[in-house]
Amino acid sequence: IPTDGSKLSDRAVAHGIALAKATGARVTGLFVAPAPTPVVFEGLVPVGYMQPEEHAALTARAAARYLGAIQTAAQQAGVPCEGETVTGEFPADAILEAAKRRKCDLIVMASHGRRGLAGVLLGSETQKVLTHTRLPVLVCR
């Protein structure tokens, strides 16, 4: 279950854990952190600089929060859970690599449901995962 900490990801987490509980499966929570860059952007505008140590600390805090939510929900449901944080330029590629490495049999993830020009320009990590995997993918909206 990849997460970006959004409300939609929270819904995917809930569905994934419920499905795991019903089938006796285990869950892997995944947080894909952006690769470190010295320039900090807000939207497309550079607004400052960040040292590698700052980036690592920021990533660790986000991962703890996002994966902690998955681990807490899984524990409450009695579902075995592990969390993993990876760094990558392309979240879909990192999701697919983690699923392959961990021998997952299902990916449960959210879709922001962008359509039209926004979907084409911004792309969809969910769409990329769907296009490039042979695993079943449960998409939550």
Side-chain angles (χ1 to χ4, degrees):
I1 306 174
T3 182
D4 62 5
S6 68
K7 296 238 185 254
L8 281 174
S9 284
D10 291 346
R11 290 179 63 193
V13 168
H15 286 293
I17 290 173
L19 184 59
K21 181 176 176 122
T23 61
R26 61 184 171 82
V27 168
T28 299
L30 179 69
F31 173 60
V32 181
T37 177
V39 180
V40 177
F41 289 87
E42 210 169 276
L44 297 176
V45 179
V47 294
Y49 296 94
M50 182 179 294
Q51 297 296 321
E53 300 80 22
E54 291 176 277
H55 182 270
L58 182 66
T59 296
R61 285 192 305 271
R65 187 171 61 242
Y66 302 159
L67 295 176
I70 295 174
Q71 290 167 330
T72 298
Q75 185 178 23
Q76 290 173 348
V79 172
C81 178
E82 290 183 38
E84 180 178 351
T85 302
V86 296
T87 301
E89 293 287 334
F90 305 101
D93 292 343
I95 292 165
L96 294 169
E97 173 57 34
K100 181 179 179 180
R101 184 177 62 256
R102 289 185 165 264
K103 297 180 170 84
C104 295
D105 52 12
L106 174 69
I107 299 171
V108 179
M109 63 188 300
S111 174
H112 291 276
R114 291 185 182 102
R115 291 188 173 90
L117 189 56
V120 171
L121 292 177
L122 298 174
S124 163
E125 297 309 313
T126 305
Q127 185 62 43
K128 292 172 192 169
V129 168
L130 287 166
T131 301
H132 293 98
T133 189
R134 292 184 178 180
L135 288 175
V137 180
L138 175 61
V139 179
C140 302
R141 285 186 142 174

